[in-house]
Amino acid sequence: MTKIKICGLKSTQDISYVNALNPDYVGFVFLQGRARYISPKDAAALRTLLNPAIQSVGVFVNEPLENVASLLDEGTIQLAQLHGQEDAAYALKLKSLCHKPIMKAFIIKSKEDIRKALEFPCDYLLLDNGLGTGNTFDWSLIQDMQEIHKPFFLAGGLSPSNVKEAIQKTHPYGVDVSSGVETNGHKDYQKMKAFMDACSAATSEENKREINRVYVSS
């Protein structure tokens, strides 16, 4: 099944929602000045309340490497998501220090952007329209590219109403949502559940089609 990441958690209520719904990942935004910013101290406290089976991801923009490494080493996060101008040397140094997974975000405007992203030394890609724009990019850029050999998360403008289509068109490793499951700037349990249900429906339909292909070919 497509992995699900719900980003921008800030409160104990958010944690209670995700513990009930059980997505694969949740995200803490460590970028000061953003509406969903959370301090490392508060994130650490929320992590203790989070179901241990759910992996927490830290979202960073040009953060000093030692700060990211500290949060990984302390277990506040299990994965670092880099959204700034971090280069390959930064990623490799972080990897050597912590031996933890790294996700790098790329703004996708063309197929060339995807090709450049594939060259970056990270474990996962996050293909987006921009940092927190809430808009989708042209998914057709992914649809006919067969050389995406690295697992990627699809982000940008996803919601309960379009995530099923997004999964069926792009076949991502995972999907990443934040504002698409909020009401008035706060996480909305019903929208979160609807998002996850849509992801499950997309996977179920894909599985049925695969079974039919196997049946017909045999």
Side-chain angles (χ1 to χ4, degrees):
M1 179 176 171
T2 305
K3 304 296 184 183
I4 300 170
K5 176 173 172 283
I6 298 177
C7 200
L9 272 61
K10 291 180 58 178
S11 68
T12 55
Q13 179 172 269
D14 293 344
I15 296 295
S16 70
Y17 289 168
V18 295
N19 281 343
L21 294 170
N22 201 34
D24 303 281
Y25 303 87
V26 297
F28 296 126
V29 177
F30 296 107
L31 175 58
Q32 294 190 45
R34 305 294 295 191
R36 300 177 188 87
Y37 167 75
I38 187 169
S39 70
K41 180 180 178 181
D42 288 344
L46 291 184
R47 174 69 233 192
T48 65
L49 304 176
L50 183 67
N51 178 348
I54 302 173
Q55 295 191 63
S56 55
V57 181
V59 179
F60 304 95
V61 178
N62 304 324
E63 185 75 16
L65 193 147
E66 59 270 19
N67 294 350
V68 182
S70 176
L71 287 164
L72 286 165
D73 286 338
E74 293 167 0
T76 299
I77 58 173
Q78 285 71 56
L79 191 153
Q81 180 176 320
L82 309 178
H83 259 275
Q85 285 73 52
E86 303 90 358
D87 59 13
Y90 181 108
L92 290 170
K93 179 65 174 177
L94 181 60
K95 191 80 170 176
S96 69
L97 287 173
C98 304
H99 305 288
K100 298 291 179 62
I102 295 174
M103 184 189 306
K104 183 71 172 79
F106 290 88
I107 297 173
I108 303 302
K109 303 291 185 183
S110 68
K111 290 183 180 179
E112 185 59 28
D113 292 330
I114 299 175
R115 295 188 183 98
K116 289 179 180 178
L118 289 167
E119 297 173 359
F120 196 88
C122 58
D123 301 279
Y124 305 98
L125 298 173
L126 185 137
L127 307 182
D128 200 354
N129 187 56
L131 182 60
T133 63
N135 298 316
T136 63
F137 63 88
D138 184 359
W139 296 333
S140 69
L141 295 172
I142 300 175
Q143 281 181 268
D144 57 353
M145 284 194 70
Q146 303 300 318
E147 65 268 32
I148 302 182
H149 56 269
K150 187 172 289 187
F152 71 92
F153 283 77
L154 188 70
L158 296 179
S159 68
S161 64
N162 67 6
V163 70
K164 179 180 176 182
E165 177 189 3
I167 292 171
Q168 292 175 336
K169 284 186 174 181
T170 66
H171 309 287
Y173 172 81
V175 289
D176 188 326
V177 66
S178 186
S179 61
V181 291
E182 292 180 353
T183 299
N184 298 324
H186 298 280
K187 291 293 182 284
D188 183 314
Y189 178 83
Q190 293 302 325
K191 288 182 179 179
M192 293 164 70
K193 184 177 185 304
F195 186 89
M196 295 192 64
D197 288 345
C199 292
S200 297
T203 302
S204 296
E205 289 188 12
E206 288 291 299
N207 290 341
K208 287 178 182 177
R209 279 195 287 269
E210 182 61 29
I211 291 171
N212 287 337
R213 281 195 293 269
V214 172
Y215 178 78
V216 171
S217 63
S218 62

